């Protein structure tokens, strides 16, 4: 089984920056893929709202995609040698306040859909407030 552990959340002032990390271990059920062969994504869920897509990346990092709300402010990246996914967040706004989840797909490609990610971390809280 793939295990994911997010770190880096916290309280930050509007306009500030924060970097989230997601450490990934294990293999997918069936195909036995490890981190370097998996598309990955970040999602977030604000209080009282549905979980929403934030950013995604292919297994090699060659393709990235972002939601319109974070494009130009957030940067998704990965270090396959360290089995770690990152989300660099800049120019943070109060509306970015949410629990942020990293998620692993079952193949190499990226996806914006929750249903395409069978593996999830426990989430890390990001609060943007003065």
């Amino acid at each position: 089984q793939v295990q994911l552990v997010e770190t880096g959340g916290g309280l930050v002032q509007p306009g500030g920056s924060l970097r989230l990390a997601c450490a990934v271990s294990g293999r997918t059920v069936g195909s036995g893929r490890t981190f370097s062969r998996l598309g990955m994504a970040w999602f977030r869920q604000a209080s009282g709202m549905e979980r929403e897509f934030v950013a995604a990346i292919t297994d090699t990092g060659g393709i990235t995609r972002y939601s319109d709300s974070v494009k130009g402010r957030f940067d998704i990246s990965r270090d396959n040698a360290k089995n770690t996914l990152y989300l660099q967040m800049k120019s943070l706004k109060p509306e970015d306040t949410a629990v942020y989840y990293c998620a692993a797909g079952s193949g190499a490609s990226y996806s914006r859909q929750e249903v395409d990610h069978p593996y999830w971390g426990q989430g890390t809280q990001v609060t943007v407030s003065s």
Side-chain angles (χ1 to χ4, degrees):
Q1 280 276 19
V2 176
Q3 290 90 38
L4 305 92
V5 179
E6 302 99 334
T7 56
L11 173 65
V12 61
Q13 292 188 342
S17 299
L18 209 57
R19 188 175 82 155
L20 306 182
C22 176
V24 182
S25 62
R27 296 177 178 270
T28 59
V29 174
S31 64
R33 289 175 179 258
T34 56
F35 176 74
S36 65
R37 297 179 61 203
L38 295 175
M40 300 290 298
W42 289 96
F43 292 80
R44 68 185 182 185
Q45 187 170 22
S47 179
M49 305 290 285
E50 293 188 352
R51 191 154 55 185
E52 65 174 359
F53 168 76
V54 174
I57 189 168
T58 53
D59 59 341
T60 62
I63 298 174
T64 58
R65 292 292 185 266
Y66 299 90
S67 68
D68 288 343
S69 61
V70 307
K71 195 176 298 182
R73 299 188 299 120
F74 289 14
D75 180 29
I76 186 171
S77 63
R78 63 191 298 157
D79 186 335
N80 284 350
K82 295 182 178 180
N83 291 335
T84 303
L85 177 73
Y86 301 99
L87 185 67
Q88 178 68 52
M89 304 183 291
K90 298 180 289 187
S91 302
L92 283 160
K93 306 174 181 180
E95 51 264 42
D96 293 318
T97 296
V99 177
Y100 284 71
Y101 299 89
C102 72
S106 54
S109 186
Y110 74 90
S111 172
R112 298 170 182 263
Q113 306 301 319
E114 289 186 46
V115 68
D116 293 328
H117 298 86
Y119 306 100
W120 292 79
Q122 82 289 348
T124 186
Q125 176 71 46
V126 171
T127 302
V128 184
S129 175
S130 54

